[in-house]
């Protein structure tokens, strides 16, 4: 934590000293998530209940003429992590190009701030298939309900040196197009598509390349990844996504489907391409509040206003199982020493209650039921306090 504060303070002082004579605006921001989870049923796997500060962030953003920049660092699990760090040039109020470290435009909840999504966790579909933050260069523009974003991205571990044989995340080309012909308060209809071409890399580009997938149980307190797939001898990967958002008055729905196909190297003739997919649908109602609004700059639902009380339900399915590609049922040894024959399909039901008390303070309560084929269900209740400054 001291390192984050020191870095933020140093950046602020440098910026103030360098641009004291110019019209530079600076803003210091931060947030923290305090979580607690209770496992209420769990026969096959004895996961402990517990509490944690799941994320603590300090950031600085600044604007100067058409330029803007942001440095956002997180502290969780006793280590500092890079969040949004970029330099941006704003062509117009509704279009910009930027370079740095930020989320690729695939997966609605992974593109949005984690503090603004409707559940404590983005869900198993986003975990398994959405790329998240990586180093890249991107263009984004929007007008009259049309949103376009596309960029080129490289290894997320851009600041770490690797030896000649250590595999990396590789590079990708990712784009998203969304169109909302109706985007008035209380009357919203949005459709979108996204695609990503990805090439995992290894050290010398001749070593074995691996394409990894995983998802957890829906609570940040339990970080174990129970559903995993490691696709060896990967050549390249193509991911395709579709999305739907609609709202009427104080009721809203959202859905995404993501398909992934990983081709294998031609030297491995007995391994077929690996295919996986995931989808979710969610519905929300503001029990107390105003009609839902649309954020054109994000191409998604806007955050409910302070004082709103929201009830949300989501069902998600992830299928990482492809026996023809060599990734079917496998053995899993649980923490209590029990050996199970499990698949790679997960179903997750989440019910959430959100109270947007003040702009700087929100409360969330989630119930998650997660089921991995071959294991009994996990039932978890998680509460979160979110604070912002």
């Amino acid at each position: 934590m001291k390192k984050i504060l020191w870095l933020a303070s140093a950046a602020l002082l440098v910026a103030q000293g360098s641009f004291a004579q110019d019209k530079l605006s600076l803003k210091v921001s931060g947030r923290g998530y305090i979580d607690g989870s209770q496992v209420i049923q769990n026969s096959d796997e004895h996961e402990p209940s517990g509490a944690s500060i799941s994320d603590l962030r300090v950031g600085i953003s600044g604007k100067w003429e058409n330029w803007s920049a942001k440095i956002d660092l997180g502290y969780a699990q006793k280590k500092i992590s890079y969040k949004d760090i970029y330099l941006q040039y704003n062509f117009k109020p509704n279009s910009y190009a930027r370079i740095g470290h930020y989320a690729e435009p695939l997966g609605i909840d992974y593109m949005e701030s984690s503090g603004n999504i409707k559940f404590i966790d983005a869900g198993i579909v986003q975990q398994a298939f959405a790329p998240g933050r990586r180093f890249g260069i991107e263009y984004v523009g929007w007008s009259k309900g049309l949103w376009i974003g596309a960029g080129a991205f490289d290894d997320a571990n851009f600041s770490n040196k690797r030896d000649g044989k250590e595999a990396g995340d590789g590079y990708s080309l990712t784009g998203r197009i969304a169109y909302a012909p109706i985007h008035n308060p209380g009357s919203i209809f949005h459709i979108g598509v996204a695609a990503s071409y990805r090439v995992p890399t290894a050290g010398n580009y001749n070593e074995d390349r691996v394409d990894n997938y995983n998802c957890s149980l829906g609570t940040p307190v339990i970080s174990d990844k129970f559903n995993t797939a490691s696709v060896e001898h990967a050549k390249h990967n193509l991911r395709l996504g579709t999305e739907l958002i609609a709202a009427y008055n104080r009721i809203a729905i959202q859905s995404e489907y993501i398909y992934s196909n990983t081709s294998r190297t031609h030297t491995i003739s007995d391994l077929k391409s690996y295919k996986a997919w995931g989808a979710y649908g969610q519905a929300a109602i503001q029990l107390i509040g105003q009609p839902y609004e649309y954020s054109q700059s994000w191409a998604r639902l806007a955050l409910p206003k302070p004082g709103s009380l929201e009830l949300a339900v989501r069902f998600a399915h992830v299928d990482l199982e492809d026996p023809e590609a060599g990734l079917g049922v496998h053995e899993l040894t649980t923490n209590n020493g029990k050996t199970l024959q499990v698949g790679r399909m997960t179903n997750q039901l989440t019910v959430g209650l959100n109270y947007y008390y003040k702009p700087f303070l929100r409360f969330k309560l989630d119930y998650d039921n997660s089921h991995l084929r071959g294991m009994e269900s996990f039932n978890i209740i998680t509460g979160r306090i979110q604070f912002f400054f």
Side-chain angles (χ1 to χ4, degrees):
M1 181 59 189
K2 291 182 179 180
K3 292 182 179 179
I4 294 182
L5 295 175
W6 185 87
L7 288 171
S9 301
L12 179 61
L13 291 173
V14 170
Q16 288 177 328
S18 301
F19 297 96
Q21 305 301 320
D22 297 314
K23 295 181 179 180
L24 172 69
S25 62
L26 291 173
K27 179 182 178 181
V28 178
S29 62
R31 63 179 126 157
Y33 303 158
I34 302 174
D35 296 336
S37 288
Q38 176 66 47
V39 180
I40 58 178
Q41 178 184 334
N42 176 204
S43 298
D44 290 330
E45 191 76 10
H46 293 296
E47 284 293 334
S49 303
S52 70
I53 298 178
S54 299
D55 201 1
L56 186 62
R57 300 190 194 179
V58 173
I60 298 175
S61 59
K63 294 183 179 180
W64 181 71
E65 295 184 347
N66 290 342
W67 293 91
S68 59
K70 185 177 182 180
I71 300 175
D72 193 18
L73 303 176
Y75 182 79
Q77 299 179 352
K78 299 181 180 180
K79 63 180 181 180
I80 295 176
S81 60
Y82 299 107
K83 300 302 181 180
D84 290 335
I85 303 176
Y86 59 78
L87 176 66
Q88 178 173 303
Y89 182 80
N90 304 290
F91 299 104
K92 296 179 180 180
N94 61 339
S95 67
Y96 60 82
R98 61 181 173 179
I99 184 171
H101 188 256
Y102 47 86
E104 295 186 43
L106 191 155
I108 295 176
D109 284 350
Y110 266 26
M111 292 176 60
E112 176 63 290
S113 166
S114 61
N116 294 350
I117 61 178
K118 298 195 177 302
F119 301 93
I120 291 175
D121 190 272
I124 56 176
V125 176
Q126 306 287 311
Q127 289 180 20
F129 300 106
R133 290 181 175 89
R134 303 181 76 216
F135 182 73
I137 183 169
E138 176 188 48
Y139 169 81
V140 172
W142 63 93
S143 178
K144 299 180 180 179
L146 179 65
W147 189 99
I148 298 174
F153 301 85
D154 204 347
D155 194 339
N157 297 319
F158 63 92
S159 64
N160 298 328
K161 295 181 179 180
R162 300 193 306 271
D163 61 35
K165 294 186 178 181
E166 186 178 353
D169 292 335
Y171 67 86
S172 62
L173 302 174
T174 304
R176 175 188 182 227
I177 299 176
Y179 181 52
I182 305 172
H183 52 271
N184 303 314
S187 182
I188 299 168
F189 181 75
H190 155 122
I191 54 175
V193 295
S196 182
Y197 175 79
R198 320 181 68 79
V199 179
T201 61
N204 305 326
Y205 289 86
N206 294 317
E207 305 291 337
D208 186 30
R209 307 177 188 185
V210 181
D211 192 16
N212 293 307
Y213 301 83
N214 59 70
C215 55
S216 64
L217 299 176
T219 171
V221 175
I222 301 174
S223 58
D224 292 341
K225 309 296 184 181
F226 284 89
N227 193 356
T228 65
S230 295
V231 186
E232 297 180 345
H233 310 292
K235 184 178 181 181
H236 54 74
N237 170 258
L238 178 64
R239 298 184 193 181
L240 302 172
T242 61
E243 55 190 62
L244 169 69
I245 299 174
Y248 175 73
N249 200 354
R250 292 186 295 164
I251 299 175
I253 61 173
Q254 178 176 305
S255 179
E256 281 187 273
Y257 168 85
I258 301 178
Y259 169 80
S260 180
N261 187 314
T262 301
S263 298
R264 318 296 269 277
T265 56
H266 65 277
T267 57
I268 311 298
S269 58
D270 59 335
L271 290 179
K272 296 185 178 180
S273 296
Y274 171 75
K275 302 175 181 64
W277 66 277
Y280 73 87
Q282 67 186 45
I285 179 171
Q286 291 198 50
L287 303 174
I288 301 174
Q290 301 178 18
Y292 281 102
E293 298 184 10
Y294 188 73
S295 172
Q296 293 196 57
S297 60
W298 284 100
R300 59 163 294 140
L301 291 174
L303 186 71
K305 291 180 170 54
S308 300
L309 179 65
E310 180 182 54
L311 177 67
V313 179
R314 175 182 65 201
F315 179 78
H317 175 79
V318 165
D319 185 355
L320 302 181
E321 194 168 305
D322 188 351
E324 293 186 355
L327 290 161
V329 176
H330 62 108
E331 287 190 352
L332 175 67
T333 302
T334 65
N335 288 338
N336 58 8
K338 188 176 180 180
T339 300
L340 302 173
Q341 296 291 324
V342 300
R344 290 184 166 91
M345 295 184 187
T346 300
N347 292 326
Q348 183 186 62
L349 173 66
T350 307
V351 181
L353 186 65
N354 307 315
Y355 182 35
Y356 302 87
Y357 177 56
K358 298 290 183 182
F360 57 86
L361 187 61
R362 302 168 199 160
F363 302 93
K364 293 187 174 183
L365 181 66
D366 280 9
Y367 163 75
D368 281 287
N369 175 280
S370 297
H371 175 71
L372 176 64
R373 191 162 75 89
M375 296 182 67
E376 294 192 21
S377 296
F378 290 84
N379 293 274
I380 305 170
I381 295 177
T382 305
R384 166 173 288 182
I385 300 174
Q386 297 179 335
F387 58 91
F388 305 81
F389 63 86

